[in-house]
Structure formats: structure tokens, C-alpha cells
Amino acid sequence: MPIRVAGAAAGALLALVSVAAAPAQAAGYRYWSFWESDGGKPWAYATQGPATARPADGDALGFRFAVSNGTDDTSLPSVAPDFPGICGDVAKKDGTKRIAVVVDFGGPADAPPGEAPPKKPVEVGCAEVREDATGAEALAAVAKPLRYDGSAMLCGIAGYPAHGCGEQVAEKSPAPAGSASPAAAEDSGGGPSFGVLAGGAAVLALGGAAIWKARRRA
């Protein structure tokens, strides 16, 4: 009896190790990412939302709609944060600030099912807003209408997309070797999911308990 139980526990351990060694497909999310540029610096992923960010005169804000697995692989706006080029002909007025706004609607591969990005892929504009205005107010001055969900997450800019908000993108089967399909670009290898590890740990725990009881009876 102890040998059989020990064998089952060992088998469970081997199964868990096999799962841990196998790469897992991580699903992405489709959403508007938010980028900032301070005084002509390159785009940097924003550390807060546009509703709380308060850019200064001469800054640039970028918004990009894309499918991403996280901040590291989220696509940058395809237009540089060129404040002089976007706001160069707008004079500074007392009590206001000028913010260069770039809105990149992404490509067809990023679009939700049944929708397509606007014909003009990128919208730029110079927002003239009061000195204490937020990034969301600067965006609204350039690309209305904006759509938010119940938790104040930015879901749509200039009416795109019409539906959905940060939804998870379904996993797709790996493409054949040598291909470079969008699905292959969206999927990335990773460790086993927490649920798999937790389930495996539970199996090992039960097996260990059975061995202990069997040895005690013996």
C-alpha cells in the first residue's frame, strides 16, 4: 500500500514538473494605453490615468488603441511627441496651457470584432486648456466624444471603439513554424497558470498525507 501511494505521489510530481516546463499562452487585452512626454522627451508609459494626470504647458499626451499583454509590449503611438510641430502656431495665453495630443487608433488587427479603426489612423491636435486641467480634459478638447465605464476607465476616444472596454482577447492556436501571423505576435510564452500550480500542489499535499497515514498504520 505505501509503495502504491508513493508511486501515485511521484507521478503527480512528475506531471506538475511537466506542466511547469511547458510554455503557456498568455491572452492579451484590448484597450487604450496612455503615454506621456515631458518637454520633448520620448514617449513614456504613464504611471497614472489621464483623469488624474496634470500635464504642464509644452507637454505631450499619447493614446494608443492596441492588443497587449502588458506595458512592456504595448505599442507606442506611431507619431512622435512633437510639441513644436503640433502646437507651434498656438500662442500661450494667460491662465491656459497648451498640450500636444496624439491619438493612434491602431490597425485592423487591434479592432474589436465587427468594428474597424477610423479611416484616419492618427489624430493630432493642440489642446488649449486652463492651467489646472487634467490629461482627460486635454484629450476631450481634441478628440470627442469620450466613453468611460462605471469604474472611470477610458473605453473609447472619438467614438472608437463603439463597444467594449479592456476586454481579454481569446487565446489563439500557435501559428505553423516559420509564419509571422498576428496571432503569433500576440501570444507569448510564460509559466504555468496559478490554477494549474495550485491544483498540482493540492495533489502532492494529498499524496503526502496518504503516505504518512499508511506508514503510521504499518
Side-chain angles (χ1 to χ4, degrees):
M1 176 64 179
I3 295 177
R4 292 179 180 178
V5 175
L13 176 60
L14 291 175
L16 179 59
V17 171
S18 299
V19 171
Q25 293 181 342
Y29 291 85
R30 181 184 288 112
Y31 63 98
W32 280 103
S33 59
F34 177 36
W35 303 80
E36 299 173 313
S37 171
D38 179 6
K41 296 178 182 178
W43 288 123
Y45 201 87
T47 58
Q48 58 184 316
T52 57
R54 295 187 184 276
D57 181 74
D59 289 349
L61 302 180
F63 299 85
R64 169 65 193 264
F65 190 75
V67 173
S68 172
N69 289 323
T71 60
D72 291 338
D73 62 355
T74 302
S75 300
L76 288 164
S78 59
V79 172
D82 182 13
F83 178 82
I86 297 173
C87 292
D89 58 349
V90 179
K92 174 75 166 65
K93 299 178 182 179
D94 292 340
T96 66
K97 59 184 176 182
R98 301 158 301 166
I99 309 298
V101 178
V102 174
V103 179
D104 189 332
F105 296 97
D110 301 310
E115 295 196 51
K119 293 182 179 180
K120 187 177 181 181
V122 180
E123 189 77 39
V124 299
C126 185
E128 293 183 85
V129 291
R130 65 183 192 280
E131 291 182 340
D132 64 344
T134 65
E137 291 174 298
L139 174 62
V142 172
K144 286 183 178 180
L146 305 182
R147 181 170 59 88
Y148 294 88
D149 68 0
S151 60
M153 179 177 176
L154 180 61
C155 303
I157 300 177
Y160 180 78
H163 307 284
C165 192
E167 66 274 8
Q168 189 173 28
V169 177
E171 295 180 3
K172 298 180 181 180
S173 300
S179 66
S181 67
E186 292 173 10
D187 290 338
S188 63
S193 67
F194 176 79
V196 172
L197 289 177
V203 170
L204 292 180
L206 291 174
I211 294 173
W212 180 80
K213 289 181 180 179
R215 288 178 175 175
R216 187 176 182 183
R217 285 197 299 269

